[in-house]
Amino acid sequence: QVRLVESGGGLVQPGDSLRLSCTASGGTFSTYAMAWFRQVPGKEREFVAANTWGGRKTYYEYYDDSVKGRFTVSRATSGNAIDLQMHRLRPEDTAVYYCAAGLRRPFEIVHSYDHWGQGIQVTISS
């Protein structure tokens, strides 16, 4: 059974940093796109960042414009885990963050992903 588990969320102040982790089990995900999405109440789930397989041992990173330059997504050498390092956090980054894995394109949309974590709360507040 495929399972994605997020960890590392919490409450931090504006300008702080936070690192989220996601570990996938129940399969081999080295050729999957693995991504982070986030959602606030009353809004659709939105793309944050993705780490996609580019063939052999090559991976590419993609970011939404709202996080570019502040967030970094990285994949473990096993291929079955990704992290999201978040810097200079803002109150508008507050959301439930979801890890996802999938094989379809485009990777910025929810429907390209078959496997999802349960979500983890990130709150930015002073």
Side-chain angles (χ1 to χ4, degrees):
Q1 180 180 359
V2 173
R3 190 172 180 220
L4 275 63
V5 179
E6 302 100 337
S7 61
L11 170 65
V12 297
Q13 295 186 343
D16 283 354
S17 298
L18 198 63
R19 189 178 188 92
L20 303 182
S21 296
C22 170
T23 300
S25 60
T28 301
F29 296 89
S30 57
T31 62
Y32 278 61
M34 293 188 74
W36 291 95
F37 286 74
R38 63 188 181 187
Q39 189 171 22
V40 298
K43 292 191 175 181
E44 294 187 353
R45 195 168 295 186
E46 65 177 18
F47 172 75
V48 175
N51 183 287
T52 65
W53 185 61
R56 302 186 78 174
K57 295 185 179 181
T58 302
Y59 290 95
Y60 298 101
E61 301 170 13
Y62 300 91
Y63 300 93
D64 182 78
D65 286 345
S66 64
V67 306
K68 200 172 293 183
R70 299 188 298 123
F71 290 11
T72 302
V73 60
S74 59
R75 188 177 299 226
T77 53
S78 68
N80 280 14
I82 58 168
D83 285 351
L84 184 69
Q85 178 66 56
M86 305 183 289
H87 295 295
R88 302 193 302 280
L89 284 161
R90 305 166 180 168
E92 53 265 38
D93 294 318
T94 296
V96 176
Y97 283 69
Y98 295 90
C99 176
L103 290 170
R104 296 188 296 274
R105 296 292 186 266
F107 48 78
E108 303 96 332
I109 66 171
V110 169
H111 296 295
S112 293
Y113 296 87
D114 296 312
H115 308 292
W116 292 86
Q118 79 286 355
I120 193 163
Q121 180 69 45
V122 172
T123 303
I124 317 304
S125 175
S126 55

